[in-house]
Amino acid sequence: MDRLDPKTITGSFSEVIAYSAGILDGEGSVGLGRNHLKDGPIVYCMSVRVKMTDSIVPQMLCMFFGGNVTTIHSKNLRWSDSYNWYLSARIDTLRFLRLVQPLVLIKKPVVNLGIQYLELFEARQKDDTLKEAFYLKFKELNRRGPV
């Protein structure tokens, strides 16, 4: 994957935010993951992801908003590799969601829920019952197929 040259991006930061909101609406996801640690507590992790076969957009998102870009190599030779931008650091995720929140159309409910969750819970704060309720609401909002 070639590194993105910042000089190739034209436009203002507000245009980058608007573009990023559209990308999140069309290609992205906002979710709350739940992991059971071996012989330990349940850990919840909020994340924003954008996955696509062109590396430029995930690199741009990483450059402006932080996070990481990973390459996912396809097992099927007819399929292209894909690139996944992943944002999970609390402060970066909250900043990104606040920036795109006024501009998203389709994913506004899940973006609002993400902001609410991140504002409510500081890192490592305990209230597993409420966190589980948030997890189930994210699962409901992100459900695919007929409702």
Side-chain angles (χ1 to χ4, degrees), residues 30-38 40-47 49 86 117 127-140 142:
V30 178
L32 184 63
R34 177 178 66 180
N35 294 313
H36 297 268
L37 299 179
K38 187 175 183 177
I42 296 173
V43 176
Y44 296 86
C45 182
M46 177 85 204
S47 67
R49 295 174 186 255
Y86 184 85
Y117 176 84
D127 188 344
D128 288 344
T129 304
L130 189 54
K131 286 182 180 182
E132 183 67 15
F134 269 96
Y135 171 79
L136 294 172
K137 185 64 177 175
F138 272 105
K139 194 172 175 179
E140 175 187 324
N142 286 322

Side-chain angles (χ1 to χ4, degrees), residues 52-73:
M52 49 187 26
T53 57
D54 186 337
S55 68
I56 297 296
V57 173
Q59 286 181 59
M60 181 206 73
L61 292 167
C62 185
M63 185 175 73
F64 281 98
F65 304 109
N68 295 296
V69 177
T70 57
T71 304
I72 302 163
H73 299 288

